Amino acid sequence: MSLLPQFGTIVPSQTQSLLATNYLQWNNNGGAAGVPGNFADFAQQYLPEIYEAEVERYGNRTLSGFLRMVGAEMPMTSDQVIWSEQNRLHISYTDVELGAVDGTKQIVDLNNAAVAGVQNVISINDTVVVLDPTTGKEAKGIVTESGANAGSLLAADSIKIQVFSGQTFTALGFTATGLKVFVYGSDYSKGTTIGAGAGNSAARVSVEPVLTQYSNSPIIIRDQYVVSGSDTAQIGWVNVATEDGTDGYLWYLKAESETRLRFEDYLEMAMVEGELNASALNPLTQPGTQGLFAAIQDRGNVETGFTAGGGLAEFDAILKNLDTQGAIEENMLFLNRATALDFDDMLAAISSGAAGGVAFG
């Protein structure tokens, strides 16, 4: 007669020695040789050493605070936010076209593309700078006529300029289209008045400021963490630490804390990555929201095909363009769109010269 299953035999020893005959065998390797596998791989002869602190393998994984750091946060309580942005203080025009030559004067069409809403607000005797972005040429002059004048072939959105050098823009080698005009002052003869008459006495254009309005809608985001009632009193043996500085030994608080942190990251990343939903196929589809990246792509300055490996030439060109925008130290945001989901990877990609898109707004 025999007893099954057999777990081995304990043999007494005169000394406290670690012998296979005087200790229970827990290392049965899954029930080999007819021994049940109840304790398979549970532990060897000694209990394992457990490192109580959780290893932060990925470092700080939160993204919260980015929008706060760049000053791009604004609280709201309504279903829509509408705001107005200032336009330029000084008068300037782009995509300007050269017209007919009249002696040493030349007609300039301020609205060559016939853009709706563009008005001629340049007055007679304004001093202007005309820039040719194609060749880099620049010339200054004074406006002698402005607005519709049938006798000199001027249209409502045209002006006539006398270049200070005595030559016309065409004679100076300016490109016929794509020019820029900027008003930097005015120059009147002594003893003249404005408000009536012609020439030095002609009335000036009263410039009314125009604001550009934008609107955006909020979105509702949700997350959830569920814990069983029987698990709320369970104590773990790992000292967990979270990115918000808390720690503890209750395992379910670790999951709750990460759910909260993940929700806060989603809250911010939705504001960064958000897109307006232009699809009208499903009437129940949410309208979306315009995030930071989408706003920069829509109305910011975007450099495509950027690579830092090409040297500083591209940076110089970008900074030169931003210098014309004003207050770049307050409004410049450098982003590598291809790796925007991880700001650490983004900075690494930029420093290593990885190709991507660079957005400035």
Side-chain angles (χ1 to χ4, degrees), residues 290-314:
Q290 187 179 50
L292 181 63
F293 289 150
I296 292 177
Q297 292 286 343
D298 183 34
R299 54 185 183 273
N301 299 302
V302 180
E303 171 76 10
T304 57
F306 172 79
T307 170
L312 297 178
E314 289 186 76

Side-chain angles (χ1 to χ4, degrees), residues 59-83:
N60 191 330
R61 298 164 294 165
T62 60
L63 303 174
S64 297
F66 173 71
L67 292 179
R68 182 169 59 253
M69 292 297 293
V70 300
E73 284 186 338
M74 186 185 74
M76 59 178 296
T77 57
S78 300
D79 291 340
Q80 185 183 28
V81 57
I82 300 176
W83 72 97

